[in-house]
Amino acid sequence: MLPSENRLRRRQDFSTAVKRGRRAGRPLLVVHLRREDGPAGDGYSDSHPHAAEGLPSVRAGFVVSKAVGSAVVRNLVKRRLRHLVRERLGGLPAGSLIVVRALPPAGSASYTDLAHDLDAALKRLLRTDPATATGSGPTGSGR
């Protein structure tokens, strides 16, 4: 389970990550990442409820629709994704918002397949050059 300070709960935070963040799609999931811009950015660090002394923590949310499977399957996918993201929180920029949306094939995927797709998506999103992370251009194929 994710610690309380690392959970996305507000609809506004989900929307911010999805609409203003960068996206990386994989066969099993889509990852949206909104990096913290700092004091000159959108004021996020001043307004979110978990801002502590210094840098705010990374917060993650998950979207697993009924298209993924039954309630049992959806909960299994959510538990796996929460565990995978928890292990990777330290490698994300402080104050980031991350939303992981499971696609229908995730319901029948193994833990290692989910881990592989999550790692590939995060690697693509964490590149320093935004032009290469969009998938356009010769180096943006993600492979």
Side-chain angles (χ1 to χ4, degrees):
M1 178 173 256
L2 282 174
S4 179
E5 66 270 7
N6 294 119
R7 295 185 202 151
L8 267 184
R9 291 198 172 113
R10 298 184 321 176
R11 179 183 198 102
Q12 176 186 356
D13 293 337
F14 274 87
S15 294
T16 299
V18 171
K19 292 179 182 175
R20 295 185 184 173
R22 292 180 20 211
R23 178 183 69 208
R26 302 294 301 162
L28 301 177
L29 46 86
V30 177
V31 179
H32 300 269
L33 177 68
R34 170 75 172 153
R35 291 184 184 207
E36 171 60 43
D37 292 333
D42 60 3
Y44 164 73
S45 61
D46 298 331
S47 65
H48 83 71
H50 298 292
E53 297 294 323
L55 296 173
S57 59
V58 176
R59 294 187 298 145
F62 305 91
V63 178
V64 184
S65 74
K66 288 184 179 181
V68 172
S70 67
V72 173
V73 172
R74 292 192 310 268
N75 285 326
L76 175 67
V77 170
K78 280 187 278 192
R79 283 193 308 272
R80 287 177 172 176
L81 290 173
R82 274 196 304 263
H83 187 265
L84 289 166
V85 169
R86 185 183 66 202
E87 291 175 343
R88 290 152 178 82
L89 288 175
L92 297 171
S96 297
L97 301 177
I98 181 171
V99 173
V100 180
R101 182 168 46 99
L103 298 175
S108 59
S110 70
Y111 182 84
T112 54
D113 291 339
L114 286 172
H116 179 266
D117 274 11
L118 180 62
D119 287 338
L122 288 174
K123 182 179 177 182
R124 183 173 171 193
L125 289 170
L126 293 174
R127 288 185 187 155
T128 55
D129 183 10
T132 61
T134 61
S136 62
T139 61
S141 66
R143 296 183 194 240

